[in-house]
Amino acid sequence: MQLIDSELLNEVSKQAQENPRLRMNHNFHATLDASAQRLLNALQIGTDLPIHRHKHTAETYILLQGEVKVLYYNDSKMVIESVVLNLSKGNYGIHIPPGQWHTIEVLAPDSVIFEVKDGPYTPLSEDDILK
């Protein structure tokens, strides 16, 4: 059993603070080949997440603490929709369909999302990053 509690969120957030990328994953799936990728993604203000897409899987974020803005883009790199995830405002999560260009802007330190997508893990290819 692994409890998702404030102690775990604080530990992963501390690791994100110390990481040059200003983010850190805590995987619940046993291998990168797992058919479901389930993880905590701890994010600090200033982390750089490229605008990207996952062609073959949807992705779901559930905010556990902090505040993040999720932005959707079109092929011309124009923002077409955005939403702020904030627990006190009642915006808890978002489901991103396959192929949708998106990124996250971190609005509060020590933000943590629970992230789920189909596996196996596949690194983003050049054509999955919007330049």
Side-chain angles (χ1 to χ4, degrees):
M1 175 176 78
Q2 181 163 24
L3 184 62
I4 300 172
D5 60 4
S6 58
E7 184 176 330
L8 177 59
L9 299 186
N10 291 339
E11 176 57 34
V12 179
S13 291
K14 182 175 184 267
Q15 292 172 11
Q17 290 170 6
E18 296 167 353
N19 186 314
R21 295 174 63 211
L22 296 175
R23 64 181 183 269
M24 181 60 65
N25 290 353
H26 177 88
N27 294 343
F28 294 104
H29 48 280
T31 69
L32 295 179
D33 292 334
S35 61
Q37 304 287 298
R38 299 174 307 268
L39 58 130
L40 298 179
N41 196 343
L43 307 155
Q44 297 296 332
I45 292 173
T47 189
D48 183 27
L49 290 134
I51 301 167
H52 67 283
R53 66 181 174 191
H54 306 279
K55 286 187 244 181
H56 305 294
T57 182
E59 189 171 27
T60 302
Y61 301 152
I62 304 296
L63 183 70
L64 300 179
Q65 71 180 24
E67 183 177 39
V68 300
K69 181 189 287 187
V70 180
L71 299 111
Y72 281 8
Y73 294 81
N74 64 16
D75 290 336
S76 300
K77 204 174 180 179
M78 294 176 55
V79 175
I80 57 171
E81 193 172 350
S82 69
V83 64
V84 173
L85 302 182
N86 178 305
L87 301 175
S88 66
K89 294 179 181 174
N91 292 338
Y92 305 113
I94 191 165
H95 182 75
I96 302 165
Q100 175 62 60
W101 294 110
H102 64 283
T103 192
I104 299 174
E105 179 184 341
V106 181
L107 303 176
D110 300 327
S111 293
V112 181
I113 59 173
F114 180 73
E115 185 176 322
V116 179
K117 59 184 165 242
D118 294 336
Y121 170 76
T122 51
L124 294 174
S125 66
E126 282 296 313
D127 67 329
D128 290 324
I129 298 174
L130 189 59
K131 301 203 190 252

